[in-house]
Amino acid sequence: AGGINAEYGLAAAVRCHARSFSTASEFIRGPVQVFGIEGRYAHALYSAATKQGSADEIEGQLNSLQGAIDSVAGLKEFLSLPVCSKDEKKAALGGAFGEAGVDPLISNMIETMIDNKRSNHISGVVGAFNTIMAAQRGEVPCTVTSAQPLSDEHLESLKGALGKFLKSNEKLLLDTATDESLIGGMVVEIGDKRVDMSTATKIKKLKSALSLPL
């Protein structure tokens, strides 16, 4: 709560719709809590964007901005360098702002992050804002990592099994990945939960158990 309250003053200080952040009673909380520095900035932005009825547009612009940052080789690393001045970082992002056509809410927030030496968290804020918006739409992200690519039949079976844990207004967003080091089995990450059913983990647990004195 203290971090979020501090964010009200921060947002007000940068002219980011100051009146929108003036009191805690006016703060619009997101449907899901995202913690850390990224969460504080993302929640403040979500509150302001919701008030002006532009949360969907802000989400799209943030992702376009992230795409513009990712498209410039070395820009993300440059923003994290403490030896580079605030003005240099703002100038470097000027082109990205123009390319993405960002709302003043976004540009003011990012300039504030640069002023407060938080520019290395910009990508994290984008991800946190996406998490809040996904929760608002009832989307539940799920990543399944397996040693080998899953067959279509296996995927459909997995979707059916995971769907049983969702509420009626929720929608599963399934993403898959492969990691040969798992040897076999899979690791399922859904929402804030993680279930490791990989062969590698089973072997690790077995070795640990066998190392204990009889």
Side-chain angles (χ1 to χ4, degrees), residues 16-70:
C16 188
H17 289 245
R19 286 177 294 181
S20 297
F21 296 87
S22 58
T23 64
S25 63
E26 296 176 359
F27 189 84
I28 299 177
R29 295 187 178 277
V32 65
Q33 185 69 31
V34 184
F35 300 97
I37 294 171
E38 293 89 349
R40 292 200 296 272
Y41 279 98
H43 278 292
L45 180 60
Y46 172 81
S47 178
T50 300
K51 288 174 188 175
Q52 73 174 27
S54 62
D56 289 334
E57 290 78 6
I58 292 294
E59 181 185 22
Q61 290 176 20
L62 277 176
N63 288 313
S64 294
L65 175 62
Q66 183 63 54
I69 292 174
D70 291 340

Side-chain angles (χ1 to χ4, degrees), residues 122-145:
I122 290 175
S123 295
V125 172
V126 175
F129 193 88
N130 285 336
T131 296
I132 295 171
M133 293 299 294
Q136 179 172 285
R137 291 187 292 266
E139 298 171 350
V140 179
C142 176
T143 300
V144 176
T145 305

Side-chain angles (χ1 to χ4, degrees), residues 17-205:
H17 289 245
R19 286 177 294 181
S20 297
F21 296 87
S22 58
T23 64
S25 63
E26 296 176 359
F27 189 84
I28 299 177
R29 295 187 178 277
V32 65
Q33 185 69 31
V34 184
F35 300 97
I37 294 171
E38 293 89 349
R40 292 200 296 272
Y41 279 98
H43 278 292
L45 180 60
Y46 172 81
S47 178
T50 300
K51 288 174 188 175
Q52 73 174 27
S54 62
D56 289 334
E57 290 78 6
I58 292 294
E59 181 185 22
Q61 290 176 20
L62 277 176
N63 288 313
S64 294
L65 175 62
Q66 183 63 54
I69 292 174
D70 291 340
S71 68
V72 179
L75 179 55
K76 186 182 296 186
E77 292 74 17
F78 170 78
L79 293 172
S80 301
L81 291 175
V83 295
C84 299
S85 71
K86 297 174 182 178
D87 289 338
E88 287 175 325
K89 292 180 179 180
K90 290 177 182 179
L93 280 176
F97 285 157
E99 184 177 334
V102 299
D103 186 286
L105 281 176
I106 297 176
S107 57
N108 285 339
M109 179 194 72
I110 290 181
E111 287 183 3
T112 306
M113 293 180 71
I114 293 174
D115 287 338
N116 286 279
K117 299 180 180 179
R118 302 295 194 188
S119 56
N120 57 316
H121 292 281
I122 290 175
S123 295
V125 172
V126 175
F129 193 88
N130 285 336
T131 296
I132 295 171
M133 293 299 294
Q136 179 172 285
R137 291 187 292 266
E139 298 171 350
V140 179
C142 176
T143 300
V144 176
T145 305
S146 56
Q148 300 294 331
L150 300 176
S151 66
D152 292 340
E153 182 180 355
H154 200 165
L155 275 176
E156 287 304 315
S157 176
L158 188 59
K159 288 178 182 178
L162 293 171
K164 295 178 181 179
F165 296 95
L166 303 180
K167 298 177 182 178
S168 59
N169 62 333
E170 292 180 331
K171 178 174 64 174
L172 183 70
L173 294 182
L174 183 61
D175 188 25
T176 60
T178 57
D179 181 356
E180 294 182 355
S181 68
L182 298 182
I183 303 176
M186 64 182 68
V187 176
V188 179
E189 295 172 278
I190 181 168
D192 58 354
K193 298 177 177 60
R194 185 177 190 273
V195 181
D196 190 338
M197 299 176 288
S198 68
T199 302
T201 296
K202 292 178 181 178
I203 292 174
K204 183 178 180 180
K205 290 180 178 178

